[in-house]
Amino acid sequence: MSKIVKIEAFELFDSRAVPTVGVKVFTEKGGEGFAIVPSGASTGAFEAHELRDGGLRLGGKGVKKAVEHIRNLIAPALLHHDCRSGLETDKIMLELDGSENKERLGANSILGVSVAIAKAAASEQDMPLYKYLAGENKCVMPRPMMNILNGGAHASNNIDIQEFMVQPVCPASFAESMEICCEIYYALRDILKKKGLSTAVGDEGGFAPNLKGDEDALELISEAIIKAGYSTDKV
């Protein structure tokens, strides 16, 4: 057992200059965990409630309320609990919130603390988070997926689908799969240039040209796969 001895919370900014919650957790055996919980450009109607301040400051996107909830409500409730009992600490926060959709404390508050606790527990055992969470289970590196063309809320264009991604399905190492994805990305850029289409990128780093529709996007990606020297049944 290793008790949580300190929880810090603060407002910081994500890569899009949008405020987000930051959390640090410290344990009695020297473990430290740091987490931030930025949200995406698009939020689903059924996602847990992200608590924002509202008002004029920072366009209403400030998270000082969420930070204060961590400092004044969550931290006192979790101090001296075992950092390795993630299910218990999560349950305490959910009961403290008491709402159906985390509307009282905010999902950003609860998630930030939960992830920071897990990281603190992992650091105590001197192991990366993925190994700590996997326990005795064997960890296998997943195949990479690369977002190469953006639409929807991630781009200012006329494409409906938000993310078009490529993923190698042929037997290849992670490094080889990354190389395949990058070559297709480069090929797509060349094709867009030759067709006089924009190579500006959307929020997620994929190209965001104006096209007639989603089918055109799929055709361009298929063309890029072939141009890069691969088969569409392997990617």
Side-chain angles (χ1 to χ4, degrees):
M1 180 173 178
S2 180
K3 296 178 181 178
I4 298 167
V5 295
K6 188 177 183 181
I7 298 177
E8 296 179 346
F10 38 87
E11 180 184 70
L12 44 72
F13 295 89
D14 66 19
S15 61
R16 297 188 181 97
V18 177
T20 189
V21 174
V23 184
K24 281 186 178 181
V25 170
F26 303 86
T27 72
E28 64 178 345
K29 293 184 179 178
E32 294 185 13
F34 171 66
I36 58 174
V37 285
S39 59
S42 59
T43 303
F46 300 102
E47 290 187 32
H49 180 73
E50 182 184 47
L51 186 63
R52 297 282 181 179
D53 296 339
L56 297 177
R57 176 179 172 270
L58 296 170
K61 293 184 176 294
V63 291
K64 285 190 173 181
K65 289 180 182 178
V67 167
E68 289 303 310
H69 286 338
I70 295 172
R71 291 174 179 171
N72 300 329
L73 298 174
I74 294 176
L78 296 185
L79 289 180
H80 309 302
H81 282 272
D82 187 359
C83 71
R84 300 177 189 179
S85 298
L87 290 177
E88 178 189 344
T89 52
D90 283 353
K91 183 179 178 182
I92 291 170
M93 287 190 285
L94 292 176
E95 290 176 349
L96 188 63
D97 177 81
S99 69
E100 183 177 349
N101 204 30
K102 304 177 180 65
E103 294 176 3
R104 183 185 176 215
L105 300 180
N108 40 346
S109 304
I110 294 170
L111 178 59
V113 174
S114 181
V115 173
I117 288 173
K119 287 186 174 181
S123 75
E124 273 198 353
Q125 299 183 46
D126 194 29
M127 62 174 61
L129 180 62
Y130 75 91
K131 283 190 176 181
Y132 171 75
L133 294 177
E136 298 299 322
N137 298 321
K138 184 179 179 181
C139 297
V140 178
M141 186 69 77
R143 291 192 182 100
M145 295 177 68
M146 186 174 288
N147 184 350
I148 65 172
L149 202 149
N150 291 172
H154 284 172
S156 298
N157 61 10
N158 56 355
I159 302 173
D160 294 327
I161 294 177
Q162 190 160 285
E163 296 176 350
F164 292 83
M165 308 183 81
V166 290
Q167 179 185 45
V169 294
C170 55
S173 67
F174 187 88
E176 291 168 334
S177 295
M178 276 296 297
E179 186 173 314
I180 292 170
C181 289
C182 289
E183 288 178 340
I184 294 169
Y185 184 78
Y186 302 151
L188 179 59
R189 180 182 57 197
D190 292 342
I191 291 169
L192 292 174
K193 283 183 178 179
K194 288 180 180 179
K195 293 180 180 292
L197 296 168
S198 172
T199 55
V201 297
D203 285 350
E204 302 300 320
F207 299 113
N210 275 319
L211 303 172
K212 291 180 181 179
D214 298 326
E215 289 186 4
D216 285 359
L218 293 172
E219 289 177 3
L220 283 170
I221 291 171
S222 296
E223 187 178 343
I225 291 170
I226 295 169
K227 178 178 172 61
Y230 303 102
S231 170
T232 53
D233 63 350
K234 297 292 181 65
V235 180

